[in-house]
């Protein structure tokens, strides 16, 4: 799998994980605050669980492929727990260059070369 495809999949799963939180929280609201039943939790619980596991696994794969530091990797894994934190982590990783293929072992973006600066 190419770096680009891997990064696109990571971004997709990060967004899907956050959206599955919306479904799960909505289902819990209707289950516990109304008499609408627990259909939302029965549907979104397993969906969220599967996407959660996929996000964890993909975070490890991306971390290894892009040589993230252990702190960046741990941050990505921890962000899977609070609702919507995967979106924040994905945006942060994108803005700081950690989702670019040109990272070095520390997980921080490499400095541009003189050739890149001339462009």
């Amino acid at each position: 799998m190419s770096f680009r495809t891997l990064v696109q999949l990571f971004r997709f799963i990060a967004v899907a994980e956050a959206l599955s939180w919306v479904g799960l929280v909505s289902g819990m609201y209707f289950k516990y605050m109304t008499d609408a039943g627990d259909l939302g939790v029965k549907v979104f619980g397993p969906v969220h669980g599967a996407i959660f596991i996929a996000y964890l696994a993909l975070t490890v794969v991306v971390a290894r492929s892009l040589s993230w530091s252990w702190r960046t990797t741990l941050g990505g894994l921890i962000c899977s727990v609070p609702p919507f934190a995967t979106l924040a982590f994905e945006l942060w990783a994108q803005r700081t260059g950690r989702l670019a293929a040109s990272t070095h072992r520390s997980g921080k973006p490499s400095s541009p070369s003189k050739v890149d600066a001339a462009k």
Side-chain angles (χ1 to χ4, degrees), residues 8-81:
Q8 287 174 339
L9 182 59
F10 177 77
R11 295 180 80 192
F12 175 80
I13 293 296
V15 171
E17 202 273 342
L19 292 175
S20 71
W21 263 114
V22 172
L24 185 57
V25 169
S26 297
M28 289 189 310
Y29 172 81
F30 285 107
K31 178 179 179 178
Y32 296 112
M33 302 300 218
T34 70
D35 292 330
D38 62 349
L39 180 63
V41 174
K42 285 183 178 179
V43 171
F44 285 106
V47 169
H48 175 71
I51 295 172
F52 173 79
I53 298 298
Y55 176 82
L56 291 175
L58 197 54
T59 298
V60 171
V61 170
V62 169
R64 295 191 79 192
S65 297
L66 297 179
S67 300
W68 284 355
S69 69
W70 69 270
R71 288 180 181 178
T72 300
T73 305
L74 185 60
L77 294 172
I78 289 171
C79 283
S80 66
V81 178

